[in-house]
Amino acid sequence: MNNPAIMSTKAKAHIAIVGAGLSGLRCADVLLQHDFQVSIFEGRDRIGGRVHQTQLSNGHWIDMGPNWIHGTTGNVMLDLAMETGTSVGDIDEVSCAFDETGVRLDAAESVKYETIMWDIIEEAFGYSEMSGAEIDPNKSLMDFFREKVPLKIQDDEPDAEKKREMVYQLCETWGAFIGSPVTKQSLKFFWLEECIDDENLFCAGTYRKVLQRIAKPVLEKAELSLNSVVESINYDKAGGKKVTLSLGDGKMHEFDDVVVTTPLGWLQKNKNKAFSPPLPTALTAAIDAISYGCLEKVYISFPVAFWRAKEGQPEIAKGFIQWVSPNYHPELNSARWPQEAVELSSLGDDDSHPTLLFYTYGEQSKWFTAELAKRPGNREKAEFIINYFKPYYSRLPNYAANSAACTPVDCVATEWLNDDLAGNGSYGNFQVGLENGDDHIQTMRDGLPDQGLWFAGEHTAPYVALGTSTGAYWSGEAIGERILEKYEMK
C-alpha cells in the first residue's frame, strides 16, 4: 500500500530537465510515471538533441546523429526498434578497399588486412581491460598496432613492410568509430570503448520512430519549453532555497532538483560560467578529462547505386568502403586523411537507397566543417561537398564521369562542430594522457544530489554503453530512479 506521506512529497516535487535528448526524455518519463511535476527546457526548436533526422530528395529519411545500435544483448534500443517496426540489421559486406594510390585491393588481400586489424582490436580490448593499471597513460591504440602487426606479418613474408604499412593505414580508419584518430586513442582506457556484447546493427529505418516512441509519454504529460536556452543554474540551496534556472530571455524559474543532460562539450565550455556556486574541483576536473569527439557525416545520393554489381556479375562493392591515406587528392586533402563510407543500397528492400554515407573525424572534420561554415548557401555547400568526395566515389566500380547515373542528385552534411548547443562536437571518448577515466565518468555520474544537481547523457552512461544512444537512454533512466529514491527516503 502506498505511503500517503511519500505520495504527497512526490506530488510537490518539481524537477527541471535541461535538454530534450534521449537522456532527458527518458529521465522525464521515469519521473512522470511516479507523479513528479517535470519541466523540460530545450534550446532547439525540436526534441531529440543529436538524435535528429532529415529527408533526402529521394524520399528516404537519414540520421544526422547515431546510425547504429551497438550490441544486441539486453539492448533497450534494439527492443524499441522492434517495438516500433524500425528496420535494423547487419551491413552485408563485400570487401572494397583502395590503397594510397587509389587502386582497389584484391578482395582476398583486403579481407586479410581487415582480419588482422579486427583481431588486434579484440586483443587491445582484452589487454586494456586486464592490464589497464599497468599501461602508460601516454600509450595509444596505434602504438599497440605497431607492436602487434609485425607479429601477424613477419619478416620472412614477401613484401612484409609494404603489407604492414597497408594494415597501419587501414587501422587509421578506426577513428570513424570513436570520432578521433587512433594515434590519440588511449590504450589504457580502450576498454571503455567496448560496447554491449554481440554485433553492431545499422538502424536502417533511422531512429525517427524510436525517438517518437520515447518522447510520446513525455509530450503528453511534461511541460516542454522549446527555444529555451538555459544560461545559468544556481544550486545554492542554503536556507531551504531551491535550484534556480536563468534563461536567455531573462526569466528565472525555481525547482527542487535540476537534471543537466547537455552534451559533454557544452559542459566543458560552460562549466565555469553556467553554475553558481562554482562546481567542485573534482567535478570540473572530470568534465575536462574526458575528450569530446569530432565525428561528422556526409550523405551523397545518386540516381542509382552504380557501384553495385550488374546483372549476372558477382557483387563488387557492398557495405563498408575504405580509401586509405590517399595521395591523389592534394588540393583538398594534403594531410591524406583516410576516408570510410557505408553504402546504403544494400539495406533491406524498404530502406535501401543509392546513397553513400561518409564519415569524417578529428582534424578532417574540423577543417571540413570550417569550410562548410564559409559557404552559407546550400548550392555552395553542395558544390564543395561533391568536389571533396568525388576523388573517392569516382574510383568505385562502374563509375563513368559523363554518366547521369554517376552524378550526385543530393548531398547533406552534419555540422555538429559548428553547433553550440551540441557542444561543438559529438560523443565523448578517451584519449592519451588520461589517468583516471573510469573515476571521472563516475564523478559526473554521481552529480551533486544533496544540492539538487544531477548530470545525465552518453558521457555518464554505464561503461558498456558510453558514447551511444543506448547509454544516453540508460543514463537518464538511472538519474530518474535515483531521484525517486531520494524523495522516497524523506
Side-chain angles (χ1 to χ4, degrees):
M1 182 173 179
N2 291 327
N3 185 323
I6 291 176
M7 294 298 291
S8 175
T9 302
K10 286 182 185 178
K12 293 178 182 178
H14 191 180
I15 312 299
I17 297 176
V18 182
L22 291 189
S23 57
L25 292 171
R26 180 53 182 159
C27 183
D29 188 16
V30 170
L31 296 173
L32 290 166
Q33 289 180 41
H34 293 80
D35 303 318
F36 282 80
Q37 184 179 356
V38 177
S39 296
I40 305 174
F41 296 89
E42 169 55 54
R44 304 183 190 279
D45 61 0
R46 60 171 178 80
I47 63 170
R50 275 201 303 273
V51 181
H52 178 51
Q53 297 79 36
T54 191
Q55 205 167 16
L56 293 170
S57 59
N58 61 20
H60 282 273
W61 289 95
I62 54 174
D63 277 313
M64 305 298 277
N67 294 118
W68 299 86
I69 294 176
H70 295 283
T72 58
T73 302
N75 193 328
V76 66
M77 281 299 126
L78 181 57
D79 295 339
L80 289 167
M82 297 298 99
E83 178 184 331
T84 57
T86 298
S87 299
V88 298
D90 292 323
I91 292 288
D92 293 330
E93 186 174 358
V94 174
S95 183
C96 187
F98 296 83
D99 71 13
E100 62 184 18
T101 68
V103 174
R104 186 183 174 197
L105 298 178
D106 174 78
E109 184 180 17
S110 179
V111 168
K112 174 184 175 181
Y113 297 145
E114 290 171 5
T115 300
I116 291 173
M117 179 188 75
W118 284 106
D119 286 348
I120 295 175
I121 289 288
E122 289 300 318
E123 289 180 37
F125 278 135
Y127 177 61
S128 177
E129 185 172 9
M130 297 299 296
S131 305
E134 306 163 10
I135 298 175
D136 184 341
N138 294 312
K139 192 169 184 178
S140 72
L141 179 59
M142 181 55 84
D143 293 329
F144 191 77
F145 276 126
R146 293 197 175 277
E147 288 179 7
K148 297 300 180 179
V149 169
L151 302 179
K152 308 284 186 179
I153 303 175
Q154 299 189 357
D155 291 337
D156 58 357
E157 189 168 332
D159 297 321
E161 200 55 45
K162 181 179 178 181
K163 292 176 181 177
R164 289 171 187 163
E165 185 59 29
M166 182 63 207
V167 176
Y168 296 140
Q169 291 174 341
L170 192 62
C171 291
E172 291 176 356
T173 65
W174 176 262
F177 287 83
I178 55 176
S180 295
V182 293
T183 53
K184 294 184 177 181
Q185 170 64 52
S186 167
L187 180 62
K188 184 180 183 71
F189 289 102
F190 189 49
W191 64 275
L192 289 175
E193 299 285 2
E194 190 168 21
C195 293
I196 297 167
D197 288 340
D198 298 327
E199 66 265 47
N200 294 317
L201 302 178
F202 192 83
C203 194
T206 78
Y207 271 82
R208 190 165 63 99
K209 292 180 181 178
V210 172
L211 174 60
Q212 292 170 352
R213 167 63 183 82
I214 294 170
K216 185 176 185 297
V218 178
L219 297 179
E220 291 173 351
K221 295 182 179 181
E223 177 185 294
L224 173 63
S225 299
L226 299 176
N227 299 304
S228 298
V229 177
V230 174
E231 297 284 349
S232 63
I233 302 171
N234 187 314
Y235 65 99
D236 180 6
K237 299 186 75 172
K241 291 186 292 186
K242 295 193 175 186
V243 184
T244 303
L245 297 189
S246 298
L247 304 186
D249 60 6
K251 294 181 180 178
M252 301 175 66
H253 303 267
E254 291 186 341
F255 301 92
D256 296 292
D257 290 78
V258 172
V259 183
V260 179
T261 72
T262 55
L264 175 63
W266 187 93
L267 288 175
Q268 291 174 341
K269 290 176 177 292
N270 293 279
K271 65 183 184 300
N272 293 326
K273 63 181 180 180
F275 298 94
S276 178
L279 295 174
T281 302
L283 186 51
T284 58
I287 290 170
D288 284 337
I290 307 303
S291 299
Y292 200 46
C294 306
L295 188 65
E296 301 282 356
K297 299 163 187 182
V298 178
Y299 294 84
I300 303 180
S301 289
F302 299 83
V304 296
F306 66 84
W307 53 87
R308 296 291 299 276
K310 296 179 180 179
E311 187 175 356
Q313 294 179 340
E315 198 64 77
I316 47 182
K318 185 179 179 183
F320 284 95
I321 305 167
Q322 288 102 6
W323 296 263
V324 302
S325 194
N327 65 12
Y328 45 84
H329 197 13
E331 297 84 3
L332 296 178
N333 188 5
S334 59
R336 298 177 63 177
W337 294 308
Q339 192 59 64
E340 182 168 70
V342 179
E343 62 86 22
L344 305 183
S345 71
S346 58
L347 300 176
D349 291 340
D350 293 337
D351 302 297
S352 64
H353 50 108
T355 301
L356 297 172
L357 164 56
F358 292 90
Y359 292 96
T360 70
Y361 60 90
E363 294 302 317
Q364 180 189 21
S365 286
K366 292 177 183 178
W367 176 83
F368 192 81
T369 53
E371 290 296 317
L372 289 176
K374 297 175 185 176
R375 297 163 168 82
N378 289 335
R379 181 175 295 181
E380 292 176 292
K381 288 181 187 289
E383 182 179 354
F384 170 71
I385 290 169
I386 291 168
N387 286 339
Y388 185 83
F389 287 99
K390 186 175 182 179
Y392 307 119
Y393 67 73
S394 64
R395 282 172 164 75
L396 292 175
N398 303 323
Y399 178 82
N402 298 320
S403 170
C406 304
T407 302
V409 294
D410 199 4
C411 57
V412 175
T414 65
E415 296 185 54
W416 298 117
L417 280 162
N418 295 331
D419 188 329
D420 290 340
L421 292 177
N424 304 102
S426 53
Y427 308 107
N429 59 44
F430 310 94
Q431 298 189 9
V432 291
L434 187 62
E435 296 187 2
N436 299 292
D438 48 346
D439 292 338
H440 291 312
I441 294 293
Q442 186 61 53
T443 297
M444 289 190 287
R445 194 184 290 158
D446 289 344
L448 301 171
D450 291 341
Q451 285 76 47
L453 184 62
W454 311 78
F455 295 90
E458 48 95 0
H459 50 285
T460 68
Y463 294 138
V464 294
L466 288 165
T468 69
S469 57
T470 302
Y473 181 97
W474 277 343
S475 73
E477 183 174 85
I479 295 300
E481 291 174 348
R482 288 174 62 196
I483 291 175
L484 295 183
E485 293 175 0
K486 173 181 175 179
Y487 280 87
E488 286 182 346
M489 289 191 297
K490 285 187 173 182

